[in-house]
Amino acid sequence: MSIRTLDDLLAEGVSGRRVLVRADLNVPLDKQSGDITDDGRIRAVLPTLSALTGAGAKVVVCSHLGRPKGAPDPQFSLRPVAGRLGELLGAPVHFATDTVGESARSTVDALADGEVALLENLRFNKGETSKDDAERGAFADQLAAFGDAYVDDAFGAVHRRHASVHDVPARLPHVAGRLVLREVEVLSKLAGEPERPYVVVLGGSKVSDKLAVIEALLPTVDRLLIGGGMCFTFLKAQGHEVGSSLLEEEMVETCRNLLERSEGKIMLPVDVVAADAFAPDAAHDTVPADGIPSKRVGLDIGPETVAGFAAALKGARTIFWNGPMGVFEMPAFAHGTRGIAETIAKTDAFTVVGGGDSAAAVRALGLDESSFGHISTGGGASLEYLEGKTLPGIAALEN
């Protein structure tokens, strides 16, 4: 790919220039307090922002948060993010209370060299996500007016054809930020010629969400380990009772076909932790994967499965992991995810954690992030990259 980088922009000189940075600050917030519960995505953009401020740029950051419906919604405000970003940068971040309105214009105009402003949630404006090219373009025009150059450092959004990701780069000199460049370099390794054995661990709730990446990976991986809620549809495809576990009935035949075509590459749980209810304090015990009681729900992989998956991982030279092995948010059902994560962290392989819930699990379980080769910030984007899809945000940077 021929993408200009942040280093190219810095070499040209940015002192006194306004640089519009598309970041991915879509962090989880506590519903009661509004506090940020995981600042991983904020930390991920710090290298790019620090390089720009250190070079004297006037930095204008924009991002989305959550899924507001094209209008201001206080529960999705980026104000808490501005505070945390300022703490991490060690300097105040000026916050605009709108996206492209009077507050945004005055905030940007008041920036001094080396200062940072954060615009309010991009999705408070319908133009950001509009499927109408003219409406999206009009919003992109307003955003582009805040910058002399554009940096995309929001890998978690590059698979979206949104104004700030796809349309703004066409209006400004544009480069890839540190994070986007690193993500593309790492995922290119996986999509190209990964060192073998190449083992992929997939979890999460739905087969339908992962079907395209399973289809893309099956010809190239040496082993594909499947856990999480999606494993029950595969177990059903083998003819097993899955009780009241998560099941996509319409995907059973698809899973059966995948198992037949996998040439033994797919490895499924041999035991699961089954509970009386989907609740943190539910009574539970470990049962064989082919013997789940009819009124119980599987919420985690069992210890024998953890041991089996660990054995498959220990000889690997390349590992990609996307999706938790169970309901890791509930301590009683976090053992499978912890066991697999700790195994991956201890291997000598080149390891990639595929963003989303997997990255959240690493932090929630208190694991050392430096033990992994790379923790992606884009769950959906990383999967679509491995599927071989064209990502609108990356294509825009190539043009």
Side-chain angles (χ1 to χ4, degrees), residues 345 362-363 365-372 375:
V362 168
R363 290 188 281 269
L365 296 173
L367 303 176
D368 182 1
E369 294 183 47
S370 67
S371 300
F372 301 90
I375 298 180

Side-chain angles (χ1 to χ4, degrees), residues 260-275:
E260 290 173 356
R261 292 192 287 117
S262 73
E263 300 176 343
K265 291 180 179 179
I266 294 178
M267 190 170 177
L268 296 174
V270 294
D271 61 345
V272 302
V273 179

